[in-house]
Amino acid sequence: MEVKFSSWVLIFLLCNLTFSTISAFRLSRSQPTERISGSAGDVLEDNPVGRLKVFVYELPSKYNKKILQKDPRCLTHMFAAEIYMQRFLLSSPVRTLNPEEADWFYVPVYTTCDLTPNGLPLPFKSPRMMRSAIQLIASNWPYWNRTEGADHFFVVPHDFGACFHYQEEKAIGRGILTLLQRATLVQTFGQRNHVCLKEGSITVPPYAPPQKMQSHLIPEKTPRSIFVYFRGLFYDVGNDPEGGYYARGARAAVWENFKDNPLFDISTEHPTTYYEDMQRAIFCLCPLGWAPWSPRLVEAVIFGCIPVIIADDIVLPFADAIPWEEIGVFVDEKDVPYLDTILTSIPPEVILRKQRLLANPSMKQAMLFPQPAQPGDAFHQVLNGLARKLPHERSVYLRPGEKMLNWTAGPVADLKPW
């Protein structure tokens, strides 16, 4: 291990990557970058304006604004995309006030803005809230009933999306809320062959505050002297006292195998220098927790730290636009004990290319929900995803009187009025 450590000193000196995003972070002229090649780069830089029109339902404030007023913490929570998406669309050039010319209909419901004192979301009211909102628009506008939601989209950034539960087993047992089965879901959760990810969903990054990250920038010439970096839980004793279930044991394996490895800077402590430390690291671990995704993925991309993604079958944000295989490293959960060998075996030229791609401003911009919105940001990537689904197939439009959704399906508690 000492030989490996010494051989990486030279790489540490080479790998002093800087970071930038359009308008939010400045890019030095001397910063080496690499344009994303092929269709991924073209899709990433698409401009959705002029390619679709979105009608935003005006719902009573109890579904959104009043909920936020009760708890302003929702503005900075990792689930805040549901709030900022509404704000963006209200002033976006794709918005239309004429529903007859709309391609898509957006229903602004803040289903994750119900937080515990510790800031954890409580999803138990979410199904009733969502059902109530859908019943309202179905009763007052004709557009839901003509497709039963097939031309509507919802932002559902819960741990397991529209399954509305933070524990996977219970989320799977619930399944996606029946009334959302035909709608397009914009969600942070993404895992292949999972009941909580329906075909056609748009997977987005969790919210990470752009201004906060900008305030922690360090000098661009700072060398990357940390090989592997991670801060977070390895065990969740409170919710998984016997161990092995949380993160499917992957985080526990990281700790047990590498807590004493000098190449690994890992800890449960979350220092005030967390963002600065990520900018000094070559690799940042992005393991699954209770869900496969976390804000670490966004932070790693923004700070130019190569994300090491440990989450089997994960569906990553904007996967048709961002070449995750080229910028990240994927490690199967079963291979966590071999992380040191896997990472030290990556040739320096491969690492440097990943860093040049990470330095591309378009890559970083696509991971952020900035205020105000900027070209190519996560808002625009969502619109790009919606635009690529157009025109709607004729099959989405129902015959008069035709019904496909069962309004009385689901747990009894979900059917109670909200």
Side-chain angles (χ1 to χ4, degrees):
M1 186 58 62
E2 291 180 359
V3 174
K4 289 183 178 179
F5 181 76
S6 299
S7 69
W8 277 100
V9 171
L10 293 175
I11 297 176
F12 291 160
L13 297 176
L14 288 172
C15 299
N16 46 0
L17 178 68
T18 59
F19 27 81
S20 64
T21 62
I22 301 172
S23 83
F25 301 97
R26 293 184 179 274
L27 180 68
S28 167
R29 291 183 180 180
S30 62
Q31 171 60 38
T33 65
E34 185 167 329
R35 187 185 184 278
I36 304 159
S37 60
S39 60
D42 297 333
V43 171
L44 188 64
E45 296 171 7
D46 276 354
N47 183 359
V49 176
R51 298 169 55 210
L52 77 167
K53 293 184 178 181
V54 177
F55 179 77
V56 180
Y57 284 107
E58 293 187 20
L59 300 183
S61 60
K62 69 175 185 177
Y63 293 101
N64 39 63
K65 294 179 183 178
K66 282 190 176 179
I67 296 174
L68 177 59
Q69 289 172 357
K70 291 180 181 178
D71 197 339
R73 290 180 301 168
C74 297
L75 284 169
T76 56
H77 203 281
M78 61 182 171
F79 303 110
E82 64 182 359
I83 299 170
Y84 292 112
M85 194 71 200
Q86 181 192 18
R87 294 184 177 185
F88 162 71
L89 285 171
L90 289 177
S91 59
S92 171
V94 305
R95 182 190 182 192
T96 178
L97 300 179
N98 179 7
E100 292 295 333
E101 66 177 19
D103 300 297
W104 287 98
F105 296 80
Y106 168 62
V107 187
V109 186
Y110 298 171
T111 58
T112 61
C113 189
D114 184 10
L115 307 179
T116 67
N118 293 330
L120 300 175
L122 294 172
F124 308 117
K125 299 177 184 176
S126 302
R128 291 162 50 209
M129 185 192 310
M130 189 67 81
R131 285 180 57 88
S132 174
I134 293 173
Q135 288 171 337
L136 179 68
I137 63 174
S139 300
N140 290 277
W141 288 274
Y143 309 106
W144 175 273
N145 295 319
R146 71 183 185 182
T147 66
E148 287 197 316
D151 54 357
H152 288 55
F153 70 96
F154 297 78
V155 180
V156 284
H158 271 291
D159 285 339
F160 291 95
C163 287
F164 295 127
H165 207 287
Y166 58 87
Q167 293 181 345
E168 184 172 18
E169 288 184 355
K170 294 182 178 179
I172 291 173
R174 289 186 54 85
I176 294 173
L177 186 69
T178 302
L179 296 186
L180 296 176
Q181 292 287 349
R182 286 173 58 82
T184 289
L185 304 180
V186 177
Q187 58 186 65
T188 46
F189 172 75
Q191 183 173 316
R192 288 185 292 275
N193 305 314
H194 198 286
V195 299
C196 297
L197 180 68
K198 66 187 292 288
E199 184 178 357
S201 297
I202 298 175
T203 308
V204 300
Y207 177 78
Q211 294 81 5
K212 181 180 179 181
M213 289 189 287
Q214 183 182 20
S215 68
H216 287 267
L217 295 177
I218 63 177
E220 64 177 42
K221 297 301 183 183
T222 304
R224 290 187 177 268
S225 55
I226 300 171
F227 187 58
V228 179
Y229 186 75
F230 176 78
R231 291 294 184 272
L233 291 177
F234 297 98
Y235 303 90
D236 188 343
V237 178
N239 295 298
D240 182 29
E242 296 181 4
Y245 183 72
Y246 175 62
R248 296 195 283 257
R251 292 197 185 197
V254 169
W255 178 251
E256 295 301 331
N257 285 279
F258 305 110
K259 59 186 176 184
D260 297 321
N261 189 313
L263 291 177
F264 284 68
D265 187 344
I266 58 176
S267 172
T268 57
E269 297 179 0
H270 203 287
T272 56
T273 58
Y274 174 69
Y275 283 157
E276 288 83 354
D277 293 342
M278 293 189 83
Q279 295 166 64
R280 297 186 180 98
I282 295 176
F283 295 105
C284 288
L285 300 185
C286 300
L288 74 162
W290 286 111
W293 61 271
S294 82
R296 288 181 189 84
L297 189 68
V298 178
E299 296 160 349
V301 171
I302 295 303
F303 292 128
C305 186
I306 298 170
V308 180
I309 299 161
I310 308 170
D312 293 354
D313 295 320
I314 189 171
V315 176
L316 291 162
F318 310 130
D320 56 349
I322 296 177
W324 289 105
E325 293 284 350
E326 295 184 49
I327 66 173
V329 176
F330 289 79
V331 176
D332 291 344
E333 294 166 24
K334 64 179 177 57
D335 292 333
V336 166
Y338 315 110
L339 258 177
D340 54 346
T341 301
I342 292 170
L343 296 180
T344 55
S345 298
I346 300 174
E349 60 270 20
V350 173
I351 290 177
L352 291 173
R353 181 170 187 271
K354 290 181 183 295
Q355 292 181 319
R356 289 195 300 271
L357 287 169
L358 283 168
N360 187 309
S362 297
M363 188 90 66
K364 301 174 186 297
Q365 192 74 318
M367 299 296 286
L368 296 173
F369 295 92
Q371 301 293 309
Q374 303 292 330
D377 62 17
F379 298 117
H380 289 83
Q381 300 306 326
V382 171
L383 294 183
N384 281 334
L386 293 171
R388 286 192 287 274
K389 294 176 178 292
L390 298 175
H392 295 296
E393 297 181 2
R394 295 186 63 180
S395 60
V396 309
Y397 298 98
L398 305 180
R399 295 185 298 273
E402 183 181 8
K403 298 290 183 183
M404 298 187 69
L405 299 179
N406 183 354
W407 285 72
T408 60
V412 175
D414 290 359
L415 306 181
K416 296 179 181 178
W418 178 73

